[in-house]
Amino acid sequence: MELAYYSDYAVRLVNSEDPARGKDSLTSVEAVRELFGASQEAARRATESDVTRFRSVRGRLRAVFEAADGGDETLAVNLLNALLLEFPVSPQISGHDHRDDDGRPLWHMHLADHPSNVTAGYAAIAAMGLAFHLTEYGVDRLGLCEATPCRNAYLDTSTNRSRRYCSDRCATRANVAAYRARKRLEADRSGKTGLAADSTQRASASGER
């Protein structure tokens, strides 16, 4: 498993909440377990206590994205370093369950955590994955969706650093909203131009009389 994969752990956790709409899907043990994706062994260890702990870590990860999105690189790095210190991992070379055509292991980097609870394990992986993404691609590759009111986190992997939205759906919604806003502005300007023309014509007619 590549280290870049782990950065998705951070995005999934941050996006389990929609602050602008007052929505929070992280309300049960089952919701916590779903965040682990294919890592079912770790997910099975989740308990009710992890719900509250996951929410706490989520807030700290969102703060990293907010700092990065706001252009404060130093704050983003400091917040992430604090998480890395609190939730350490041990990088290991692994080849489990992955074989090439000749039956040899497909060696890859794996993050082995040594957690006291499920939250600590998830936080360690999420923080390390996010740190890898940040140092590999830059702080400006951590963003928050610009489609109002969505503020979902995303990782920009575009070649020209142009991503601004968390999904195609939000990008489409934002484009439609921008198009409608332009049309309203054009209509307002056209209306004002028409009123000005009518006023000029009336003034001219009055002068002729």
Side-chain angles (χ1 to χ4, degrees):
M1 187 179 294
E2 297 180 358
L3 290 180
Y5 167 85
Y6 291 112
S7 58
D8 288 334
Y9 275 56
V11 173
R12 287 203 298 270
L13 179 53
V14 171
N15 291 346
S16 65
E17 180 184 29
D18 187 347
R21 297 186 177 93
K23 296 181 179 179
D24 187 349
S25 63
L26 194 56
T27 58
S28 65
V29 177
E30 288 70 25
V32 169
R33 289 171 177 163
E34 288 177 3
L35 290 171
F36 283 87
S39 303
Q40 295 302 313
E41 182 177 349
R44 282 194 291 269
R45 301 198 305 269
T47 67
E48 287 289 345
S49 298
D50 287 299
V51 177
T52 301
R53 288 193 287 256
F54 261 71
R55 286 178 172 178
S56 176
V57 171
R58 178 179 64 189
R60 295 171 67 182
L61 286 171
R62 175 170 282 279
V64 175
F65 278 93
E66 289 175 343
D69 188 67
D72 195 335
E73 295 189 21
T74 300
L75 178 58
V77 170
N78 287 342
L79 292 172
L80 191 50
N81 273 337
L83 285 165
L84 291 170
L85 287 171
E86 186 174 345
F87 304 106
V89 294
S90 300
Q92 295 180 351
I93 299 174
S94 175
H96 60 81
D97 300 329
H98 297 280
R99 302 280 173 172
D100 62 17
D101 294 338
D102 297 323
R104 295 176 300 184
L106 292 173
W107 301 114
H108 56 275
M109 290 302 299
H110 178 80
L111 297 181
D113 57 79
H114 309 285
S116 55
N117 55 65
V118 171
T119 305
Y122 192 100
I125 291 173
M128 188 63 191
L130 200 56
F132 173 81
H133 194 94
L134 184 151
T135 54
E136 184 72 11
Y137 302 108
V139 178
D140 59 340
R141 292 294 188 132
L142 279 60
L144 293 173
C145 187
E146 294 184 14
T148 305
C150 181
R151 293 296 283 166
N152 274 354
Y154 66 83
L155 298 171
D156 187 359
T157 57
S158 63
T159 56
N160 57 355
R161 299 173 182 265
S162 61
R163 184 170 179 179
R164 297 166 54 202
Y165 307 104
C166 68
S167 64
D168 290 339
R169 179 181 179 183
C170 275
T172 299
R173 189 170 73 245
N175 289 334
V176 169
Y179 172 79
R180 289 175 176 171
R182 287 196 302 271
K183 287 298 182 182
R184 284 195 298 270
L185 182 59
E186 290 172 1
D188 289 343
R189 288 176 176 173
S190 177
K192 290 177 181 178
T193 300
L195 288 174
D198 289 343
S199 178
T200 299
Q201 289 175 356
R202 285 195 298 271
S204 176
S206 177
E208 290 175 356
R209 288 196 299 270

